[in-house]
Amino acid sequence: MGPSFTVGLDGSPESAAAARWAAGTAQRWESALRLVAVRTGPDGAAPDREPEGRAEAAREPEGQAEAAPKPGARAEASDVLPTVAAQLRAEHPALQINTSVLEGAAARVLTELSGDTELLVLGSRGLGAVHGFLVGSVALPVAAHARCPLVLVRDSSRADESAAPRTAEPTERASTPPAPGVVAGFDVREPAAELLEFAFAAARRWSVPLTVLHGWEPPPVYGARPLPLAASALEDVLGERAALLKQAVEPWAERYPEVAVDARAVLEQPTVLLTRAAAQARLLVVGRRVRTARLGTHIGPVTQGVMHHASAPVAVVSHS
């Protein structure tokens, strides 16, 4: 099988929504689709006896196994796998769909599978406006260690439109761009070519525009907001960052001339800016710097923030 998307099913409505999103996107992007159910033991732990093999033998680091769901909260992934596959084959008869049931600890198995797939897709569970969205003890470590872009998809049928994180009133310089096809959050201090390449390619495949945003606000001083900066100082900072953003985006705009791109630096907290800007977007793309630590979830505050609060599908792209 050639380039493919891999979807991790856990029996929840969110993972079913992720499978539907992945099927439609894979067909548009001319990729195959693989649906994977990971069978675990009681309380989310790996079975005592696992078959030998690459993915199946992976074991979860202590403390990262997902807690057992409440009764009735979800079906067993291996039980719903045939039903989900049959539904997607009926909806997308031209799409190549394969299924697998693997055994092991879900986060480690999915992370291992990310090494030979084009895109890994998981569900994201909604918890409402106050609490945000529970990414989960499986998706979080996968996001921190996946070797390919990871997309988190929320179940839109259970969406809470007021779920954007609350923040202080924006300054008069803050603005919310119109909802485009693809939104990418870009940090000019840590420019990531991998993030821009993925965002431009996604926009081209969908034939939609791309908005690249860099959010910035004055840093806090001893835990409190500083005194307002002079307007000229804000203009200088934003001007410098806008120039760096333009410099980073221009080569990719030349490489993808068919993509209409709008790149801007905005005076607003990055998580709030991206969450609001991508409210109606096809995809929100953010980055994760590759860390050398094997354990832990070194994702970064902005990426982790949009993973929990964005209503649009969120793609996490690793970069050096």
Side-chain angles (χ1 to χ4, degrees), residues 224-239:
R225 289 183 177 274
L227 295 175
L229 297 177
S232 60
L234 292 176
E235 291 288 348
D236 290 343
V237 173
L238 285 177

Side-chain angles (χ1 to χ4, degrees), residues 241-267:
R241 297 192 174 216
L244 291 172
L245 180 60
K246 180 180 179 181
Q247 180 181 353
V249 169
E250 276 186 344
W252 296 101
E254 294 174 359
R255 186 174 301 183
Y256 292 87
E258 63 272 54
V259 176
V261 58
D262 178 19
R264 63 181 72 181
V266 180
L267 181 62

Side-chain angles (χ1 to χ4, degrees), residues 1-9 15 18-23 25-26 31-38 54-55 81 88 95-102 106 109-123 142 146 148-153:
M1 184 173 61
S4 64
F5 291 4
T6 298
V7 181
L9 292 175
S15 71
R20 292 193 299 271
W21 181 92
T25 304
S31 296
L33 181 66
R34 183 185 187 188
L35 304 177
V36 176
V38 181
R54 181 176 51 82
L81 180 60
L88 296 181
L95 179 63
Q96 180 184 350
I97 300 177
N98 295 273
T99 62
S100 299
V101 178
L102 304 178
V109 170
L110 293 169
T111 299
E112 187 71 15
L113 290 175
S114 72
D116 57 7
T117 190
E118 178 183 2
L119 201 68
L120 182 62
V121 185
L122 301 176
V142 173
C148 70
L150 168 70
V151 176
L152 297 174
V153 179

Side-chain angles (χ1 to χ4, degrees), residues 138-162:
V138 170
L140 200 60
V142 173
H145 300 289
R147 303 169 196 171
C148 70
L150 168 70
V151 176
L152 297 174
V153 179
R154 186 182 173 201
D155 182 5
S156 60
S157 67
R158 295 145 64 102
D160 177 0
E161 295 181 357
S162 62

